[in-house]
Amino acid sequence: MTGRITRHNPARLYELVGTVPSAAPARVDAVVRAADAAQRTWARTDIAERVAALRAAVDAVEPELPQLAELLARESGKVLADCRGEIGFALTFLRWVADQAPRVLADTALDDAAGRLLLRRRPYGVVAAITPWNAPIILSFLKIAPALAAGNAVVVKPSPLAPLAIDRTVRLLSSALPDALLQVVHGEAEAGAALVGHPLVGKVAFTGGAATARVVAAAAATQTTPTVLELGGNDPVLLLDDADLSPEPMRRLVMASYATSGQVCMAAKRLYVPETRHDEFVAAYLQAADEVLCLGDPLADGVSMGPVVTAEAAARITGLVADAVARGGRALPVGRADPGTDLRAGHFVAPTLVTGVPEDAPLVAEEQFGPTVPVLTYRDADDLVARANTGELGLGASVWSADEERAFAVARRLDAGFVFVNTHNRTGMALRAPFGGVKRSGYGREYGDEGIAEYAQTCVVHAPAVFRAGGAGAAANAYPSS
Ligand code: NAD
């Protein structure tokens, strides 16, 4: 398929935000070939030169941050502060990679009585970065920055649901980099498949949903191309019996679920509260939500939650709530609406907290990826941990307690790639903390030293001591003793 991808504002469906060209497979092929040629020169440069170019690339983006944030808000429906925060964090991350990559990617030399060993960190070649719509800038930067620092070229394929701000951002970054080293192609499955299956792609870095991930991993396997997969989660929140339910932590917990209308991989998606504190919790939660949660146009002042991304998403989420209610749950409205927004003009879904829902309801058992959250009760700590660990997904989780040691002890028992204590979602992240899932939430890591090392393969040069300086060594076919 060729032609153009058009994007309308999910908060005001009558507003066309922009268009981008959709890449046919032949165009994807040309882009990858150009990237491959550029990578061969780039890989020969010194890492100091590469990170200096990355810093210059950040400088090229930074002055446009306000315009990029507004564009992202209009194409995705995420509130403006959210978009500014995402882009600012992406630039901070890129600078952090520029600082850390020379250390993480340095050759390691070992020369001792056992011989001489050189560990080299070599690039894969062209990295295909396939990203979802919900945080297109940071999720692309998590791949672009370490991949370029390690000497790779990168071709980004963003989601057609939010292609505009990342398109502009990649072009700004590229203006400070060698030609064709960093490029963007647009499209859905056809363009994605052409990229993933391309024989000159050396690694595929994918963030998105589980169903797409399986298709991507299978296509990569046709060329034995390695992948890193960052997928969805169904993050449990474990409020221990001594959890602080005062307004400040409750406001944090509310936004951990409803930021970006709940469309965040590591959103707080299932709330477990002690049975004895259920009513107290619900009252405290709803009160905190009245203070911080305001549904409306993402560009309006004071709005903290916008629409969901598509009509399909809105229908899916309202269907999940209706199903939960049909199973005996009670859907409580959460937060308030901005009086200046026409909620009929976009894909707005009123946020809800659902109590009394059975644990096998899809709202609990699956990733809802929207502004509705189930509250579940427990009596016993072992039962709590077992239920939190139920299911195929293991991205994030959180434990809330007045006693940090107790929280850490419970955290150690959870099947999750990242456990937050007394917070959840982006407020608990750190540049130095590797992020990624266990179980079916994916493999490989972003952020931290591991997120940089993900884009280099360790290669070895070895001179065994026994064969040095004329040593005869062991018999030709013997294994070494150490
Ligand atoms: P998606 O899986 O629908 O799309 C992801 C990307 O894959 C898009 O760019 C899409 O165009 C592309 N794609 C689709 N078919 C393809 C194919 N055949 N070959 C190659 N590429 C193809 O995901 P989405 O709806 O945009 O994002 C939502 C999901 O992403 C949620 O499950 C969420 O939890 C997850 N997510 C995970 C993380 C994380 O870090 N773990 C971060 C954000 C989102």
Side-chain angles (χ1 to χ4, degrees), residues 130-134 139 157-160 187-189 192-193 196 206-209 212 215-216 230-233 265 269 367 369 395 435 446:
I130 302 194
T131 52
W133 69 270
N134 66 334
L139 295 172
K157 199 217 69 68
S159 166
E188 219 350 311
V196 171
F206 173 85
T207 302
T212 318
V215 176
V216 165
E230 300 288 346
L231 314 180
C265 59
K269 291 178 179 146
E367 181 187 37
F369 213 62
L395 190 61
F435 184 87
E446 294 188 316

PDB file of all heavy atoms in Angstrom, residues 130-134 139 157-160 187-189 192-193 196 206-209 212 215-216 230-233 265 269 367 369 395 435 446, ligand 1:
ATOM      1  N   ILE A 130      10.617  -0.395  15.989  1.00  0.00           N
ATOM      2  CA  ILE A 130       9.172  -0.382  15.725  1.00  0.00           C
ATOM      3  C   ILE A 130       8.465   0.020  17.003  1.00  0.00           C
ATOM      4  O   ILE A 130       8.634  -0.632  18.042  1.00  0.00           O
ATOM      5  CB  ILE A 130       8.706  -1.755  15.233  1.00  0.00           C
ATOM      6  CG1 ILE A 130       9.516  -2.060  13.973  1.00  0.00           C
ATOM      7  CG2 ILE A 130       7.199  -1.766  14.959  1.00  0.00           C
ATOM      8  CD1 ILE A 130       9.029  -3.163  13.143  1.00  0.00           C
ATOM      9  N   THR A 131       7.714   1.117  16.936  1.00  0.00           N
ATOM     10  CA  THR A 131       7.218   1.714  18.172  1.00  0.00           C
ATOM     11  C   THR A 131       5.705   1.901  18.149  1.00  0.00           C
ATOM     12  O   THR A 131       5.106   2.063  17.096  1.00  0.00           O
ATOM     13  CB  THR A 131       7.921   3.073  18.413  1.00  0.00           C
ATOM     14  OG1 THR A 131       7.797   3.865  17.241  1.00  0.00           O
ATOM     15  CG2 THR A 131       9.379   2.875  18.739  1.00  0.00           C
ATOM     16  N   PRO A 132       5.083   1.924  19.345  1.00  0.00           N
ATOM     17  CA  PRO A 132       3.640   2.132  19.426  1.00  0.00           C
ATOM     18  C   PRO A 132       3.320   3.633  19.459  1.00  0.00           C
ATOM     19  O   PRO A 132       4.221   4.466  19.502  1.00  0.00           O
ATOM     20  CB  PRO A 132       3.284   1.452  20.744  1.00  0.00           C
ATOM     21  CG  PRO A 132       4.477   1.655  21.595  1.00  0.00           C
ATOM     22  CD  PRO A 132       5.666   1.703  20.675  1.00  0.00           C
ATOM     23  N   TRP A 133       2.030   3.930  19.509  1.00  0.00           N
ATOM     24  CA  TRP A 133       1.599   5.332  19.412  1.00  0.00           C
ATOM     25  C   TRP A 133       1.642   6.039  20.766  1.00  0.00           C
ATOM     26  O   TRP A 133       1.650   7.254  20.819  1.00  0.00           O
ATOM     27  CB  TRP A 133       0.155   5.377  18.884  1.00  0.00           C
ATOM     28  CG  TRP A 133      -0.805   4.833  19.889  1.00  0.00           C
ATOM     29  CD1 TRP A 133      -1.213   3.542  20.024  1.00  0.00           C
ATOM     30  CD2 TRP A 133      -1.404   5.562  20.962  1.00  0.00           C
ATOM     31  NE1 TRP A 133      -2.025   3.410  21.107  1.00  0.00           N
ATOM     32  CE2 TRP A 133      -2.168   4.655  21.703  1.00  0.00           C
ATOM     33  CE3 TRP A 133      -1.364   6.896  21.367  1.00  0.00           C
ATOM     34  CZ2 TRP A 133      -2.883   5.022  22.834  1.00  0.00           C
ATOM     35  CZ3 TRP A 133      -2.080   7.273  22.495  1.00  0.00           C
ATOM     36  CH2 TRP A 133      -2.832   6.337  23.208  1.00  0.00           C
ATOM     37  N   ASN A 134       1.652   5.293  21.893  1.00  0.00           N
ATOM     38  CA  ASN A 134       1.300   5.942  23.162  1.00  0.00           C
ATOM     39  C   ASN A 134       2.410   6.783  23.781  1.00  0.00           C
ATOM     40  O   ASN A 134       2.131   7.645  24.609  1.00  0.00           O
ATOM     41  CB  ASN A 134       0.773   4.906  24.169  1.00  0.00           C
ATOM     42  CG  ASN A 134       1.822   3.923  24.595  1.00  0.00           C
ATOM     43  OD1 ASN A 134       2.785   3.670  23.856  1.00  0.00           O
ATOM     44  ND2 ASN A 134       1.670   3.352  25.763  1.00  0.00           N
ATOM     45  N   LEU A 139       9.822   6.219  23.436  1.00  0.00           N
ATOM     46  CA  LEU A 139      10.016   4.805  23.084  1.00  0.00           C
ATOM     47  C   LEU A 139      10.909   4.659  21.855  1.00  0.00           C
ATOM     48  O   LEU A 139      11.594   3.637  21.710  1.00  0.00           O
ATOM     49  CB  LEU A 139       8.665   4.112  22.886  1.00  0.00           C
ATOM     50  CG  LEU A 139       7.815   4.034  24.167  1.00  0.00           C
ATOM     51  CD1 LEU A 139       6.416   3.515  23.872  1.00  0.00           C
ATOM     52  CD2 LEU A 139       8.481   3.171  25.234  1.00  0.00           C
ATOM     53  N   LYS A 157      10.095   2.868  12.589  1.00  0.00           N
ATOM     54  CA  LYS A 157       8.755   2.778  12.006  1.00  0.00           C
ATOM     55  C   LYS A 157       7.751   3.023  13.128  1.00  0.00           C
ATOM     56  O   LYS A 157       7.445   2.153  13.928  1.00  0.00           O
ATOM     57  CB  LYS A 157       8.478   1.419  11.355  1.00  0.00           C
ATOM     58  CG  LYS A 157       7.304   1.558  10.394  1.00  0.00           C
ATOM     59  CD  LYS A 157       6.373   0.387  10.344  1.00  0.00           C
ATOM     60  CE  LYS A 157       5.527   0.130  11.540  1.00  0.00           C
ATOM     61  NZ  LYS A 157       4.473   1.130  11.824  1.00  0.00           N
ATOM     62  N   PRO A 158       7.238   4.258  13.186  1.00  0.00           N
ATOM     63  CA  PRO A 158       6.280   4.571  14.248  1.00  0.00           C
ATOM     64  C   PRO A 158       4.895   4.039  13.906  1.00  0.00           C
ATOM     65  O   PRO A 158       4.642   3.589  12.789  1.00  0.00           O
ATOM     66  CB  PRO A 158       6.249   6.107  14.254  1.00  0.00           C
ATOM     67  CG  PRO A 158       7.089   6.570  13.119  1.00  0.00           C
ATOM     68  CD  PRO A 158       7.492   5.389  12.293  1.00  0.00           C
ATOM     69  N   SER A 159       4.008   4.151  14.880  1.00  0.00           N
ATOM     70  CA  SER A 159       2.616   3.755  14.660  1.00  0.00           C
ATOM     71  C   SER A 159       1.917   4.792  13.789  1.00  0.00           C
ATOM     72  O   SER A 159       2.104   5.994  13.973  1.00  0.00           O
ATOM     73  CB  SER A 159       1.901   3.653  16.007  1.00  0.00           C
ATOM     74  OG  SER A 159       0.511   3.596  15.799  1.00  0.00           O
ATOM     75  N   PRO A 160       1.043   4.349  12.881  1.00  0.00           N
ATOM     76  CA  PRO A 160       0.265   5.312  12.083  1.00  0.00           C
ATOM     77  C   PRO A 160      -0.707   6.126  12.938  1.00  0.00           C
ATOM     78  O   PRO A 160      -1.260   7.102  12.471  1.00  0.00           O
ATOM     79  CB  PRO A 160      -0.502   4.438  11.090  1.00  0.00           C
ATOM     80  CG  PRO A 160      -0.169   3.030  11.387  1.00  0.00           C
ATOM     81  CD  PRO A 160       0.783   2.954  12.520  1.00  0.00           C
ATOM     82  N   GLY A 187       3.931   3.486   7.978  1.00  0.00           N
ATOM     83  CA  GLY A 187       3.045   2.470   7.428  1.00  0.00           C
ATOM     84  C   GLY A 187       2.581   1.546   8.532  1.00  0.00           C
ATOM     85  O   GLY A 187       2.968   1.696   9.699  1.00  0.00           O
ATOM     86  N   GLU A 188       1.741   0.587   8.170  1.00  0.00           N
ATOM     87  CA  GLU A 188       1.232  -0.385   9.140  1.00  0.00           C
ATOM     88  C   GLU A 188       1.976  -1.696   8.936  1.00  0.00           C
ATOM     89  O   GLU A 188       3.203  -1.692   8.746  1.00  0.00           O
ATOM     90  CB  GLU A 188      -0.268  -0.519   8.924  1.00  0.00           C
ATOM     91  CG  GLU A 188      -1.213  -0.666  10.110  1.00  0.00           C
ATOM     92  CD  GLU A 188      -0.709  -0.912  11.523  1.00  0.00           C
ATOM     93  OE1 GLU A 188       0.133  -1.802  11.757  1.00  0.00           O
ATOM     94  OE2 GLU A 188      -1.236  -0.256  12.427  1.00  0.00           O
ATOM     95  N   ALA A 189       1.248  -2.788   8.877  1.00  0.00           N
ATOM     96  CA  ALA A 189       1.882  -4.106   8.847  1.00  0.00           C
ATOM     97  C   ALA A 189       2.789  -4.311   7.629  1.00  0.00           C
ATOM     98  O   ALA A 189       3.867  -4.900   7.748  1.00  0.00           O
ATOM     99  CB  ALA A 189       0.808  -5.180   8.895  1.00  0.00           C
ATOM    100  N   GLY A 192       6.008  -2.463   8.127  1.00  0.00           N
ATOM    101  CA  GLY A 192       6.684  -3.090   9.258  1.00  0.00           C
ATOM    102  C   GLY A 192       7.288  -4.436   8.886  1.00  0.00           C
ATOM    103  O   GLY A 192       8.432  -4.745   9.233  1.00  0.00           O
ATOM    104  N   ALA A 193       6.522  -5.218   8.137  1.00  0.00           N
ATOM    105  CA  ALA A 193       7.000  -6.548   7.740  1.00  0.00           C
ATOM    106  C   ALA A 193       8.191  -6.430   6.792  1.00  0.00           C
ATOM    107  O   ALA A 193       9.164  -7.195   6.891  1.00  0.00           O
ATOM    108  CB  ALA A 193       5.866  -7.326   7.086  1.00  0.00           C
ATOM    109  N   VAL A 196      11.174  -5.523   9.111  1.00  0.00           N
ATOM    110  CA  VAL A 196      11.599  -6.595  10.024  1.00  0.00           C
ATOM    111  C   VAL A 196      12.264  -7.752   9.265  1.00  0.00           C
ATOM    112  O   VAL A 196      13.242  -8.332   9.724  1.00  0.00           O
ATOM    113  CB  VAL A 196      10.380  -7.115  10.826  1.00  0.00           C
ATOM    114  CG1 VAL A 196      10.733  -8.367  11.605  1.00  0.00           C
ATOM    115  CG2 VAL A 196       9.869  -6.046  11.761  1.00  0.00           C
ATOM    116  N   PHE A 206      11.388  -3.870  19.227  1.00  0.00           N
ATOM    117  CA  PHE A 206       9.934  -3.689  19.084  1.00  0.00           C
ATOM    118  C   PHE A 206       9.300  -3.351  20.422  1.00  0.00           C
ATOM    119  O   PHE A 206       9.543  -4.014  21.426  1.00  0.00           O
ATOM    120  CB  PHE A 206       9.313  -4.982  18.540  1.00  0.00           C
ATOM    121  CG  PHE A 206       7.807  -4.957  18.524  1.00  0.00           C
ATOM    122  CD1 PHE A 206       7.119  -4.394  17.462  1.00  0.00           C
ATOM    123  CD2 PHE A 206       7.069  -5.483  19.585  1.00  0.00           C
ATOM    124  CE1 PHE A 206       5.718  -4.351  17.445  1.00  0.00           C
ATOM    125  CE2 PHE A 206       5.674  -5.440  19.579  1.00  0.00           C
ATOM    126  CZ  PHE A 206       5.008  -4.878  18.503  1.00  0.00           C
ATOM    127  N   THR A 207       8.436  -2.346  20.427  1.00  0.00           N
ATOM    128  CA  THR A 207       7.569  -2.077  21.573  1.00  0.00           C
ATOM    129  C   THR A 207       6.140  -2.036  21.070  1.00  0.00           C
ATOM    130  O   THR A 207       5.848  -1.318  20.107  1.00  0.00           O
ATOM    131  CB  THR A 207       7.925  -0.734  22.246  1.00  0.00           C
ATOM    132  OG1 THR A 207       9.288  -0.764  22.650  1.00  0.00           O
ATOM    133  CG2 THR A 207       7.064  -0.486  23.479  1.00  0.00           C
ATOM    134  N   GLY A 208       5.263  -2.796  21.698  1.00  0.00           N
ATOM    135  CA  GLY A 208       3.863  -2.815  21.268  1.00  0.00           C
ATOM    136  C   GLY A 208       3.114  -3.952  21.915  1.00  0.00           C
ATOM    137  O   GLY A 208       3.491  -4.429  22.996  1.00  0.00           O
ATOM    138  N   GLY A 209       2.073  -4.403  21.250  1.00  0.00           N
ATOM    139  CA  GLY A 209       1.199  -5.424  21.810  1.00  0.00           C
ATOM    140  C   GLY A 209       1.690  -6.844  21.538  1.00  0.00           C
ATOM    141  O   GLY A 209       2.503  -7.079  20.632  1.00  0.00           O
ATOM    142  N   THR A 212       1.018  -8.442  17.896  1.00  0.00           N
ATOM    143  CA  THR A 212       1.954  -7.925  16.881  1.00  0.00           C
ATOM    144  C   THR A 212       3.352  -8.479  17.142  1.00  0.00           C
ATOM    145  O   THR A 212       4.075  -8.818  16.198  1.00  0.00           O
ATOM    146  CB  THR A 212       1.997  -6.381  16.924  1.00  0.00           C
ATOM    147  OG1 THR A 212       0.686  -5.876  17.072  1.00  0.00           O
ATOM    148  CG2 THR A 212       2.624  -5.812  15.673  1.00  0.00           C
ATOM    149  N   VAL A 215       3.992 -11.790  15.534  1.00  0.00           N
ATOM    150  CA  VAL A 215       4.179 -11.686  14.083  1.00  0.00           C
ATOM    151  C   VAL A 215       5.588 -11.142  13.779  1.00  0.00           C
ATOM    152  O   VAL A 215       6.298 -11.638  12.900  1.00  0.00           O
ATOM    153  CB  VAL A 215       3.098 -10.744  13.471  1.00  0.00           C
ATOM    154  CG1 VAL A 215       3.333 -10.547  11.982  1.00  0.00           C
ATOM    155  CG2 VAL A 215       1.709 -11.312  13.719  1.00  0.00           C
ATOM    156  N   VAL A 216       5.987 -10.135  14.537  1.00  0.00           N
ATOM    157  CA  VAL A 216       7.298  -9.510  14.332  1.00  0.00           C
ATOM    158  C   VAL A 216       8.422 -10.512  14.625  1.00  0.00           C
ATOM    159  O   VAL A 216       9.368 -10.650  13.843  1.00  0.00           O
ATOM    160  CB  VAL A 216       7.421  -8.240  15.220  1.00  0.00           C
ATOM    161  CG1 VAL A 216       8.859  -7.759  15.330  1.00  0.00           C
ATOM    162  CG2 VAL A 216       6.524  -7.131  14.666  1.00  0.00           C
ATOM    163  N   GLU A 230       9.422  -5.298  23.959  1.00  0.00           N
ATOM    164  CA  GLU A 230       8.867  -4.615  25.149  1.00  0.00           C
ATOM    165  C   GLU A 230       7.355  -4.585  24.971  1.00  0.00           C
ATOM    166  O   GLU A 230       6.837  -3.826  24.151  1.00  0.00           O
ATOM    167  CB  GLU A 230       9.414  -3.181  25.248  1.00  0.00           C
ATOM    168  CG  GLU A 230      10.927  -3.082  25.371  1.00  0.00           C
ATOM    169  CD  GLU A 230      11.442  -3.525  26.731  1.00  0.00           C
ATOM    170  OE1 GLU A 230      10.633  -3.668  27.665  1.00  0.00           O
ATOM    171  OE2 GLU A 230      12.652  -3.739  26.846  1.00  0.00           O
ATOM    172  N   LEU A 231       6.641  -5.412  25.742  1.00  0.00           N
ATOM    173  CA  LEU A 231       5.219  -5.623  25.472  1.00  0.00           C
ATOM    174  C   LEU A 231       4.342  -5.119  26.621  1.00  0.00           C
ATOM    175  O   LEU A 231       4.803  -4.400  27.496  1.00  0.00           O
ATOM    176  CB  LEU A 231       4.991  -7.107  25.161  1.00  0.00           C
ATOM    177  CG  LEU A 231       6.010  -7.695  24.175  1.00  0.00           C
ATOM    178  CD1 LEU A 231       5.743  -9.156  23.910  1.00  0.00           C
ATOM    179  CD2 LEU A 231       6.061  -6.901  22.883  1.00  0.00           C
ATOM    180  N   GLY A 232       3.100  -5.539  26.597  1.00  0.00           N
ATOM    181  CA  GLY A 232       2.152  -5.002  27.558  1.00  0.00           C
ATOM    182  C   GLY A 232       2.286  -5.596  28.960  1.00  0.00           C
ATOM    183  O   GLY A 232       3.038  -6.545  29.191  1.00  0.00           O
ATOM    184  N   GLY A 233       1.514  -5.029  29.877  1.00  0.00           N
ATOM    185  CA  GLY A 233       1.518  -5.510  31.256  1.00  0.00           C
ATOM    186  C   GLY A 233       0.108  -5.496  31.815  1.00  0.00           C
ATOM    187  O   GLY A 233      -0.814  -4.936  31.213  1.00  0.00           O
ATOM    188  N   CYS A 265       1.902   1.163  29.196  1.00  0.00           N
ATOM    189  CA  CYS A 265       2.254  -0.232  29.457  1.00  0.00           C
ATOM    190  C   CYS A 265       2.355  -0.515  30.949  1.00  0.00           C
ATOM    191  O   CYS A 265       1.911  -1.547  31.422  1.00  0.00           O
ATOM    192  CB  CYS A 265       3.564  -0.590  28.761  1.00  0.00           C
ATOM    193  SG  CYS A 265       4.954   0.437  29.267  1.00  0.00           S
ATOM    194  N   LYS A 269      -2.898  -1.287  36.941  1.00  0.00           N
ATOM    195  CA  LYS A 269      -4.056  -1.837  36.230  1.00  0.00           C
ATOM    196  C   LYS A 269      -4.996  -2.701  37.070  1.00  0.00           C
ATOM    197  O   LYS A 269      -6.116  -2.984  36.650  1.00  0.00           O
ATOM    198  CB  LYS A 269      -3.569  -2.633  35.012  1.00  0.00           C
ATOM    199  CG  LYS A 269      -2.967  -1.681  33.957  1.00  0.00           C
ATOM    200  CD  LYS A 269      -2.421  -2.360  32.735  1.00  0.00           C
ATOM    201  CE  LYS A 269      -1.890  -1.319  31.757  1.00  0.00           C
ATOM    202  NZ  LYS A 269      -0.752  -1.718  30.991  1.00  0.00           N
ATOM    203  N   GLU A 367      -5.007  -6.964  30.002  1.00  0.00           N
ATOM    204  CA  GLU A 367      -4.569  -5.565  30.019  1.00  0.00           C
ATOM    205  C   GLU A 367      -5.695  -4.697  29.453  1.00  0.00           C
ATOM    206  O   GLU A 367      -6.054  -4.831  28.285  1.00  0.00           O
ATOM    207  CB  GLU A 367      -3.318  -5.400  29.142  1.00  0.00           C
ATOM    208  CG  GLU A 367      -2.796  -3.980  29.135  1.00  0.00           C
ATOM    209  CD  GLU A 367      -1.643  -3.743  28.147  1.00  0.00           C
ATOM    210  OE1 GLU A 367      -1.639  -4.321  27.052  1.00  0.00           O
ATOM    211  OE2 GLU A 367      -0.758  -2.950  28.499  1.00  0.00           O
ATOM    212  N   PHE A 369      -5.764  -1.298  29.170  1.00  0.00           N
ATOM    213  CA  PHE A 369      -5.188  -0.220  28.363  1.00  0.00           C
ATOM    214  C   PHE A 369      -6.208   0.904  28.143  1.00  0.00           C
ATOM    215  O   PHE A 369      -6.462   1.330  27.021  1.00  0.00           O
ATOM    216  CB  PHE A 369      -4.685  -0.781  27.024  1.00  0.00           C
ATOM    217  CG  PHE A 369      -3.469  -0.060  26.488  1.00  0.00           C
ATOM    218  CD1 PHE A 369      -2.283  -0.046  27.194  1.00  0.00           C
ATOM    219  CD2 PHE A 369      -3.515   0.604  25.259  1.00  0.00           C
ATOM    220  CE1 PHE A 369      -1.151   0.607  26.696  1.00  0.00           C
ATOM    221  CE2 PHE A 369      -2.392   1.269  24.756  1.00  0.00           C
ATOM    222  CZ  PHE A 369      -1.212   1.257  25.485  1.00  0.00           C
ATOM    223  N   LEU A 395       5.060  -7.262  33.615  1.00  0.00           N
ATOM    224  CA  LEU A 395       5.843  -6.055  33.319  1.00  0.00           C
ATOM    225  C   LEU A 395       6.163  -5.320  34.622  1.00  0.00           C
ATOM    226  O   LEU A 395       7.278  -5.373  35.107  1.00  0.00           O
ATOM    227  CB  LEU A 395       5.068  -5.164  32.336  1.00  0.00           C
ATOM    228  CG  LEU A 395       5.873  -3.983  31.764  1.00  0.00           C
ATOM    229  CD1 LEU A 395       7.064  -4.464  30.984  1.00  0.00           C
ATOM    230  CD2 LEU A 395       4.985  -3.095  30.890  1.00  0.00           C
ATOM    231  N   PHE A 435      14.554  -1.423  32.468  1.00  0.00           N
ATOM    232  CA  PHE A 435      13.106  -1.627  32.423  1.00  0.00           C
ATOM    233  C   PHE A 435      12.760  -2.659  31.363  1.00  0.00           C
ATOM    234  O   PHE A 435      13.289  -2.617  30.248  1.00  0.00           O
ATOM    235  CB  PHE A 435      12.404  -0.305  32.085  1.00  0.00           C
ATOM    236  CG  PHE A 435      10.903  -0.403  32.101  1.00  0.00           C
ATOM    237  CD1 PHE A 435      10.198  -0.212  33.276  1.00  0.00           C
ATOM    238  CD2 PHE A 435      10.207  -0.729  30.947  1.00  0.00           C
ATOM    239  CE1 PHE A 435       8.810  -0.335  33.302  1.00  0.00           C
ATOM    240  CE2 PHE A 435       8.826  -0.855  30.965  1.00  0.00           C
ATOM    241  CZ  PHE A 435       8.128  -0.650  32.140  1.00  0.00           C
ATOM    242  N   GLU A 446      15.334  -1.899  28.451  1.00  0.00           N
ATOM    243  CA  GLU A 446      15.625  -0.515  28.051  1.00  0.00           C
ATOM    244  C   GLU A 446      16.007   0.247  29.321  1.00  0.00           C
ATOM    245  O   GLU A 446      15.731  -0.205  30.424  1.00  0.00           O
ATOM    246  CB  GLU A 446      14.397   0.103  27.362  1.00  0.00           C
ATOM    247  CG  GLU A 446      14.140  -0.618  26.036  1.00  0.00           C
ATOM    248  CD  GLU A 446      13.086  -0.012  25.130  1.00  0.00           C
ATOM    249  OE1 GLU A 446      12.030   0.369  25.633  1.00  0.00           O
ATOM    250  OE2 GLU A 446      13.337   0.051  23.902  1.00  0.00           O
TER     251      GLU A 446
HETATM  252  P1  NAD B   1       0.710  -2.470  18.277  1.00  0.00           P
HETATM  253  O1  NAD B   1       1.290  -3.787  18.605  1.00  0.00           O
HETATM  254  O2  NAD B   1      -0.624  -2.405  17.639  1.00  0.00           O
HETATM  255  O3  NAD B   1       1.693  -1.676  17.287  1.00  0.00           O
HETATM  256  C1  NAD B   1       3.062  -1.502  17.578  1.00  0.00           C
HETATM  257  C2  NAD B   1       3.810  -1.197  16.281  1.00  0.00           C
HETATM  258  O4  NAD B   1       3.872  -2.359  15.465  1.00  0.00           O
HETATM  259  C3  NAD B   1       3.178  -0.109  15.418  1.00  0.00           C
HETATM  260  O5  NAD B   1       4.200   0.702  14.873  1.00  0.00           O
HETATM  261  C4  NAD B   1       2.504  -0.923  14.320  1.00  0.00           C
HETATM  262  O6  NAD B   1       2.291  -0.185  13.127  1.00  0.00           O
HETATM  263  C5  NAD B   1       3.543  -2.012  14.126  1.00  0.00           C
HETATM  264  N1  NAD B   1       3.099  -3.197  13.380  1.00  0.00           N
HETATM  265  C6  NAD B   1       1.857  -3.701  13.226  1.00  0.00           C
HETATM  266  N2  NAD B   1       1.898  -4.835  12.494  1.00  0.00           N
HETATM  267  C7  NAD B   1       3.197  -5.062  12.187  1.00  0.00           C
HETATM  268  C8  NAD B   1       3.885  -6.074  11.447  1.00  0.00           C
HETATM  269  N3  NAD B   1       3.248  -7.089  10.875  1.00  0.00           N
HETATM  270  N4  NAD B   1       5.228  -5.988  11.349  1.00  0.00           N
HETATM  271  C9  NAD B   1       5.895  -4.992  11.932  1.00  0.00           C
HETATM  272  N5  NAD B   1       5.309  -3.981  12.624  1.00  0.00           N
HETATM  273  C10 NAD B   1       3.967  -4.027  12.752  1.00  0.00           C
HETATM  274  O7  NAD B   1       0.745  -1.643  19.623  1.00  0.00           O
HETATM  275  P2  NAD B   1       0.010  -0.277  20.020  1.00  0.00           P
HETATM  276  O8  NAD B   1      -1.457  -0.476  20.052  1.00  0.00           O
HETATM  277  O9  NAD B   1       0.541   0.842  19.186  1.00  0.00           O
HETATM  278  O10 NAD B   1       0.567  -0.134  21.525  1.00  0.00           O
HETATM  279  C11 NAD B   1      -0.088  -0.694  22.622  1.00  0.00           C
HETATM  280  C12 NAD B   1       0.666  -1.848  23.246  1.00  0.00           C
HETATM  281  O11 NAD B   1       2.031  -1.541  23.443  1.00  0.00           O
HETATM  282  C13 NAD B   1       0.120  -2.169  24.634  1.00  0.00           C
HETATM  283  O12 NAD B   1       0.010  -3.566  24.815  1.00  0.00           O
HETATM  284  C14 NAD B   1       1.183  -1.585  25.567  1.00  0.00           C
HETATM  285  O13 NAD B   1       1.194  -2.154  26.859  1.00  0.00           O
HETATM  286  C15 NAD B   1       2.425  -1.858  24.784  1.00  0.00           C
HETATM  287  N6  NAD B   1       3.529  -0.987  25.227  1.00  0.00           N
HETATM  288  C16 NAD B   1       4.606  -1.563  25.871  1.00  0.00           C
HETATM  289  C17 NAD B   1       5.640  -0.741  26.350  1.00  0.00           C
HETATM  290  C18 NAD B   1       6.844  -1.313  27.077  1.00  0.00           C
HETATM  291  O14 NAD B   1       7.832  -0.613  27.246  1.00  0.00           O
HETATM  292  N7  NAD B   1       6.815  -2.562  27.535  1.00  0.00           N
HETATM  293  C19 NAD B   1       5.571   0.638  26.150  1.00  0.00           C
HETATM  294  C20 NAD B   1       4.459   1.169  25.498  1.00  0.00           C
HETATM  295  C21 NAD B   1       3.452   0.344  25.033  1.00  0.00           C
END
